[in-house]
Every structure is written in C-alpha cells, then in structure tokens.
Amino acid sequence: MSTPPLTRTTTPDTTPDTATGTATGTTPDTAPPVTPRLTHARVLRSEWHKLWTVRSTWITVLTAAALVLGVGILMGATYTSDGGDSDVDTVILTLYGSQLGAIALAVLGILVTAGEYTTGMIRASLTAVPRRLPVLGAKAAVYTGTVLVLTLVTNLLTFLTAQVFLSDTDQAASLTDDGVLGALAGNAAGITLLGLIALGLGATLRSVPGAIGAFVGGVMILPEVIGMLPYEAMETAVRYFPTQAAGALGSATPLPGAASPGAALLALLLWAAATLTVPALLLKRRDV
C-alpha cells in the first residue's frame, strides 16, 4: 500500500506588533489610502467651480454685459451728427455703459472674497489649503481671466453693433482705425483691474456691505472730491487714481488732462497690487 505524499503548508507571519497591538503580516489585507497631492492647478480648479456654481456670478456677469450692450445700442440709435456729442471719442461714446458694468463686476469681485466670509465657506477653503495664500491668488487669477475675457468680448460686440447705427454719421469707425482696438482692450483691462481692487477690499474687510461702501466711497467718489480742491498737485495726483486711470485706457484718442495709457496702466497695476497685498498679510497674521 502506498502512502500519500506529505504536503507542507505555510501561513503568513502574524507576529504581533508591539507598537500598535495588532498583528502584522507579509501580505497586508488592505492598501494604505492615497491622499491627493495639493497643487496650484487643483486650487485654481476649485476656485473656478466655486465661482460658476453660485447664482450671483451669473446675475452680475449677465447684468454687466447687458448694461454695456444696451447703453451702447441706445447711444448709437439715438446719435445725430448735429448733436452735442460730436467731439466725444467714438469708443467712449459706444462704451458709456461700461461705467455701470464696472460697478456690477466690482460687486462680483467683492462677492468672490467677502462672500465666502459671510457664508463661512472660507474655513473649509483654508483648511484644505493650509498655506492660505494660494487661495487668494487663485481667486484673483480666476476672476481676472473671467472678467478680462467677458469685458473684451462685450466691448467688441457693443462697438460693432453700435457702428451699425453710426455708419452714416461723423462717429463712424472700424476696428482697423488707429487706436480703436487698443481702446477696446484698454477699457477691458481697466474694468478688470478695478474689479481686482474691489476683490482686494472684500478680502481685507471681509464684509460685503463694507467692501461695497469702501469701493463706491473711496475709489469712485473720493477722487472726484479731491479733484475739486484748488491745488495743482491734487489735480495731477487724481489722474492716477483708479477710476481716472481706467478712463484714460478706454479712449482711442488722448484725453486732455488725463494720464498717458502707459502711465495709467502702471498706476492701476500698482493700485491692484497694493490692495491685494493687505489681505495677503492679514491671512498670514489673523485667524479666519
């Protein structure tokens, strides 16, 4: 009679782990969880989704575009060559509504930052991104790209539509005329930088009503009051205030008493940088 061959079985080593009190083996049951790596691209994508998933964004964006386009069509349809606007720059005439659109987009900038403090969502954002500053940078970058593209497209559409009504008047112009494209792009850049200033005020004050009041009073009204003072130095300084500098960027022909386009753009960039520097410092030194 033959005997069956002996077989040898092996079992995993299950030596108790004295540090954790659990058995450790050579074949683990489960793999360790994988934590996604935090990157600037992911922070940007998060801010992009947050911007476009709230109704206030759509309301303010559509309102701004409708105001610019509606006022531009109105100006073109009612313009006559023997009226009092014959000496007004063509781009300024067709983009009169951009002053109202700029206010709507400034409110959007404030909501991007101060709105999160109002709802409390900022705590989750800063918990996910402990370094904090990438959150502010991503908000500014997403807002800048969105508003710059929106205003540039709206300006082009408004100008071309208004020219349908102005083609037989002394305000007839085309995109290929000297300074027209530069003025349309300059107007878009000026509105975008004004919105960035509003975004910085929202991040600094952390209050939607407070930031709106600061923007309207400090950025829009205060320079007009200072400009009334009978001092030449004040008159020169006002040229480089945000709203006046933005106005100088949106003209196809040089405006009398205004800063040059290059100086106006530099002034706006410095204003925006200074306004964003304050909340950046506060994020490092203050709790949420």
Side-chain angles (χ1 to χ4, degrees), residues 101-209:
I103 296 175
L105 293 175
V107 171
L108 175 61
I110 291 170
L111 291 175
V112 167
T113 50
E116 280 204 35
Y117 285 95
T118 301
T119 61
M121 184 182 290
I122 192 65
R123 294 185 179 89
S125 299
L126 298 183
T127 300
V129 188
R131 293 174 58 191
R132 297 189 172 192
L133 289 185
V135 174
L136 179 62
K139 288 181 182 296
V142 169
Y143 176 85
T144 299
T146 298
V147 173
L148 185 60
V149 172
L150 170 73
T151 51
L152 184 56
V153 171
T154 303
N155 288 353
L156 289 170
L157 180 60
T158 302
F159 179 82
L160 294 174
T161 305
Q163 284 301 318
V164 174
F165 301 97
L166 296 172
S167 58
D168 296 328
T169 68
D170 55 359
Q171 290 285 358
S174 67
L175 293 177
T176 57
D177 289 350
D178 290 341
V180 170
L181 272 177
L184 294 174
N187 177 276
I191 291 176
T192 302
L193 290 170
L194 284 175
L196 268 181
I197 293 173
L199 184 147
L201 288 174
T204 300
L205 300 176
R206 303 182 176 187
S207 165
V208 174

Side-chain angles (χ1 to χ4, degrees), residues 8-288:
R8 183 180 179 181
T9 59
T10 60
T11 57
D13 181 12
T14 56
T15 304
D17 188 340
T18 57
T20 62
T22 59
T24 59
T26 56
T27 56
D29 293 334
T30 57
V34 177
T35 302
R37 190 166 60 91
L38 184 65
T39 63
H40 290 290
R42 286 176 175 152
V43 178
L44 280 171
R45 184 170 59 184
S46 171
E47 293 301 328
W48 174 266
H49 285 304
K50 283 194 288 185
L51 177 66
W52 291 107
T53 51
V54 291
R55 283 181 297 177
S56 59
T57 297
W58 294 96
I59 292 172
T60 51
V61 163
L62 293 176
T63 299
L67 286 170
V68 177
L69 183 59
V71 174
I73 293 174
L74 180 64
M75 296 301 296
T78 59
Y79 178 81
T80 56
S81 296
D82 56 351
D85 294 328
S86 58
D87 59 340
V88 177
D89 182 87
T90 302
V91 176
I92 293 178
L93 179 71
T94 55
L95 296 183
Y96 264 139
S98 62
Q99 300 177 30
L100 300 174
I103 296 175
L105 293 175
V107 171
L108 175 61
I110 291 170
L111 291 175
V112 167
T113 50
E116 280 204 35
Y117 285 95
T118 301
T119 61
M121 184 182 290
I122 192 65
R123 294 185 179 89
S125 299
L126 298 183
T127 300
V129 188
R131 293 174 58 191
R132 297 189 172 192
L133 289 185
V135 174
L136 179 62
K139 288 181 182 296
V142 169
Y143 176 85
T144 299
T146 298
V147 173
L148 185 60
V149 172
L150 170 73
T151 51
L152 184 56
V153 171
T154 303
N155 288 353
L156 289 170
L157 180 60
T158 302
F159 179 82
L160 294 174
T161 305
Q163 284 301 318
V164 174
F165 301 97
L166 296 172
S167 58
D168 296 328
T169 68
D170 55 359
Q171 290 285 358
S174 67
L175 293 177
T176 57
D177 289 350
D178 290 341
V180 170
L181 272 177
L184 294 174
N187 177 276
I191 291 176
T192 302
L193 290 170
L194 284 175
L196 268 181
I197 293 173
L199 184 147
L201 288 174
T204 300
L205 300 176
R206 303 182 176 187
S207 165
V208 174
I212 292 176
F215 182 82
V216 173
V219 177
M220 303 187 69
I221 297 178
L222 181 61
E224 300 293 337
V225 176
I226 294 177
M228 296 178 184
L229 298 177
Y231 302 105
E232 185 177 352
M234 293 296 182
E235 183 179 351
T236 302
V238 165
R239 299 176 187 175
Y240 302 98
F241 275 58
T243 50
Q244 286 70 19
L249 291 175
S251 176
T253 56
L255 294 176
S260 65
L265 179 60
L266 178 60
L268 270 173
L269 288 171
L270 292 175
W271 278 108
T275 311
L276 289 172
T277 299
V278 176
L281 294 175
L282 293 178
L283 276 175
K284 287 293 189 181
R285 299 182 180 182
R286 184 195 297 177
D287 287 336
V288 179

